[in-house]
Amino acid sequence: VQLQASGGGLVQAGGSLRLSCAASGNIFSIARINVMGWYRQAPGKQRELVATITSGGSTNYPDSVKGRFTISNGNAKNTVYLQMDSLKPEDTAVYYCNAVDTQRRYYWGQGTLVTVSS
């Protein structure tokens, strides 16, 4: 399974960005994916959870982004979006798309850089 992420860029504080991620590859492996999400890693910091969503639409966010970020499933199976509003400089990081299948295998995308200027 390959994950292709897009949508990163440079934005001013208070602005918005929308990230997209699409899974491709073996159709049987893709069919086993039941959770998709986003993680981020800022320079000098550990990778941290940003948001996850199940195939049934249940979502999870850490307090740091709750109320500002929204994850959603796309119309195409195993496509996921992350709408980021009210961005802050501390949101600056490389954002990674993630997928987990029913056998607890993890897949990662290549990362997309989000830079929020103050």
Side-chain angles (χ1 to χ4, degrees):
V1 174
Q2 294 79 45
L3 300 178
Q4 183 66 45
S6 61
L10 173 65
V11 64
Q12 288 188 332
S16 299
L17 280 176
R18 189 190 194 210
L19 305 183
S20 302
C21 177
S24 62
N26 182 280
I27 59 172
F28 300 107
S29 297
I30 290 175
R32 285 193 290 267
I33 292 173
N34 59 353
V35 181
M36 293 188 75
W38 294 90
Y39 288 71
R40 67 187 180 188
Q41 187 166 18
K45 295 188 177 182
Q46 290 188 331
R47 191 172 295 190
E48 62 177 4
L49 170 71
V50 175
T52 60
I53 186 167
T54 68
S55 54
S58 296
T59 59
N60 180 48
Y61 306 93
D63 289 342
S64 58
V65 307
K66 197 173 293 183
R68 300 188 298 121
F69 291 10
T70 304
I71 191 170
S72 60
N73 285 317
N75 290 329
K77 185 173 174 52
N78 294 316
T79 299
V80 67
Y81 302 102
L82 182 69
Q83 177 66 39
M84 304 186 292
D85 298 318
S86 302
L87 282 161
K88 304 175 181 180
E90 50 263 45
D91 294 317
T92 295
V94 177
Y95 284 69
Y96 295 92
C97 180
N98 165 267
V100 186
D101 70 15
T102 54
Q103 297 179 335
R104 303 301 293 173
R105 278 189 288 249
Y106 281 67
Y107 303 96
W108 293 95
Q110 82 284 8
T112 184
L113 178 62
V114 171
T115 304
V116 184
S117 63
S118 57

